[in-house]
Amino acid sequence: VNELELIERLCRHLPLNASTVVGPGDDCAVLDLGLADRRILFKTDAVVEGVHFTAETDPRLAGRKALARCLSDIAAMAGTPTHAVITLGLPPDCDLDRVDNLYAGLGDCARQHKVGVVGGETTASPGSLWVSTAMLGWVQSDRCVLRSGAHPGDALFVSGELGGSLASGRHLSFAPRLEEARWLAEAFEVHAMIDLSDGLAGDLRHLLKASGVGAELLAHAVPVSPAARAAARQGGRNALAAALTDGEDYELLFAVSAADAVALKDRWKSRFPGTKLSCIGRVMSETTVTLRDAQGRRTLPLHGYVHFQEP
Ligand SMILES: [Mg+2]
C-alpha cells in the first residue's frame, strides 16, 4: 500500500468525540474545547534521519525542521502556534553534541515564533535518529480555513516559488507562512488552503478531493524556483515537473473567489513585497486536474512525491 492508502486504512475506524470539529484529513485537527471564539489546532509530525535529513545535515537545521514542519501546518489553517512537546528517538551511541545542537535549532525556531516547548520524551531507537513534534495552536473560530471549501470558479493561488527544495537546502531553512496565512484569512474570504509538503501536483489533489471539485492549472503561471531551473539545466529534467512534484516547498496553496483575485494580488504585493504570489489556475466542477500549456489542455500527470535522501 502507498502512504495515502495506509492513512485511509488507519483512519477508517478512529474514535472521535463531541469536541472534534475536524478530525483526520486536514492539515491540523480542529477542536472545540469550550473557548468562546477560538478553536484549538492540534498537529503531530516527525522527521527521521535518512528520510527528512541525513547524518551530514547540520543538527541545528534538522531540529529547526522538526518544529517548522508543524508550524507550516498551523499556517495552513490560518492559525497561531502556541505549544509543542517533543519526542526524541535516540540511536545507540548517539553523539551528545549532536542532540544538543538539534535542540538548540529547535529551541531557536520555537522562540522566534513564541512557541513554548513544554515537555517531551526520549526513547531508544534501534535505527536512526528521529524527532517527533506535537503542536497546539489556535484560530479564531470564523477564520479557520479548511481544505474543503473550494468552489468551482475560484482562483487558485500559491505563495513563493516551487521545486528544488532538497537540492537548494530550502527544505531545512524555509520560513513557515504563518503571518501571510493569518493576513489572508483576515483580509479575504479564503475558501480552502493547504501547505505544500508533498508537491503541488499531489497537495492540490488533496485540497480538491476534500472540496469535491477539480482544477485547471496554467503551466506558464506555476512559479518555478531558480533552484528547480538550475537542476533542470544540469540534469536534463523538466523544470515545471520539478515544481509540480519535488515537494517540501512549505508554501501556501489556497482558493479564493475569482472576484477577489485582482485585489488580493495588489494587496499582497504591498504587504509582502519580498514574496511572490501567483494565480496558477482555477477550480472546476469536473473532478479532474488538467494542465493548460501552449499545446493545449491535458490531464496533469501525477508522480506522487516520495521522500528521498539528499544527494
Ligand atoms: Mg500540511
Side-chain angles (χ1 to χ4, degrees):
V1 295
N2 68 28
E3 194 182 343
L4 266 185
E5 289 164 347
L6 177 65
I7 291 170
E8 263 177 35
R9 189 187 166 100
L10 294 178
C11 291
R12 220 176 290 151
H13 304 296
L14 283 183
L16 304 178
N17 60 21
S19 51
T20 310
V21 180
V22 177
D26 215 302
D27 291 283
C28 298
V30 183
L31 312 175
D32 179 356
L33 298 187
L35 299 169
D37 309 318
R38 290 186 178 195
R39 295 284 179 263
I40 298 301
L41 303 175
F42 195 18
K43 176 69 196 178
T44 186
D45 192 82
V47 294
V48 179
E49 180 188 326
V51 182
H52 305 92
F53 63 94
T54 70
E56 287 72 44
T57 303
D58 179 346
R60 285 177 174 268
L61 293 177
R64 182 187 188 284
K65 182 173 183 176
L67 204 86
R69 278 167 59 99
C70 274
L71 294 174
S72 184
D73 281 313
I74 299 274
M77 317 298 290
T80 300
T82 59
H83 299 89
V85 289
I86 309 296
T87 304
L88 193 60
L90 289 168
D93 56 75
C94 184
D95 177 16
L96 202 59
D97 269 358
R98 194 173 176 217
V99 179
D100 282 344
N101 284 323
L102 189 143
Y103 258 67
L106 190 152
D108 285 347
C109 181
R111 263 184 292 278
Q112 190 193 338
H113 294 281
K114 299 190 169 64
V115 169
V117 179
V118 292
E121 139 94 346
T122 59
T123 175
S125 163
S128 57
L129 177 65
W130 54 264
V131 189
S132 171
T133 303
M135 188 172 280
L136 283 178
W138 66 274
V139 63
Q140 203 177 297
S141 303
D142 56 357
R143 298 257 170 89
C144 184
V145 184
L146 307 181
R147 293 180 179 179
S148 53
H151 308 307
D154 280 357
L156 285 168
F157 281 90
V158 70
S159 65
E161 294 174 311
L162 310 182
S165 178
L166 289 160
S168 69
R170 195 177 168 279
H171 72 110
L172 295 167
S173 63
F174 67 94
R177 300 291 189 196
L178 286 158
E179 206 188 331
E180 292 88 343
R182 280 195 300 262
W183 176 84
L184 279 170
E186 197 181 313
F188 293 92
E189 198 190 310
V190 182
H191 293 167
M193 186 151 64
I194 187 171
D195 71 315
L196 297 179
S197 49
D198 295 346
L200 176 61
D203 288 323
L204 171 63
R205 279 180 167 81
H206 297 323
L207 183 146
L208 297 173
K209 194 179 174 199
S211 299
V213 291
E216 179 183 82
L217 291 187
L218 302 169
H220 71 88
V222 174
V224 182
S225 76
R229 286 189 199 286
R233 276 194 299 273
Q234 280 169 11
R237 246 177 108 218
N238 180 301
L240 176 63
L244 289 169
T245 61
D246 274 358
E248 304 234 22
D249 297 303
Y250 305 107
E251 295 292 350
L252 298 171
L253 167 68
F254 57 93
V256 296
S257 163
D260 285 339
V262 174
L264 171 57
K265 274 219 86 165
D266 274 2
R267 291 183 59 190
W268 175 284
K269 205 171 169 183
S270 54
R271 181 66 182 78
F272 303 106
T275 304
K276 205 166 173 169
L277 182 71
S278 308
C279 182
I280 57 168
R282 59 182 170 146
V283 176
M284 312 285 276
S285 51
E286 318 92 85
T287 57
T288 54
V289 185
T290 55
L291 186 70
R292 184 180 286 282
D293 61 16
Q295 276 81 53
R297 190 174 174 227
R298 60 200 154 89
T299 303
L300 178 69
L302 171 66
H303 308 290
Y305 171 68
V306 178
H307 288 290
F308 57 99
Q309 284 183 273
E310 286 171 78

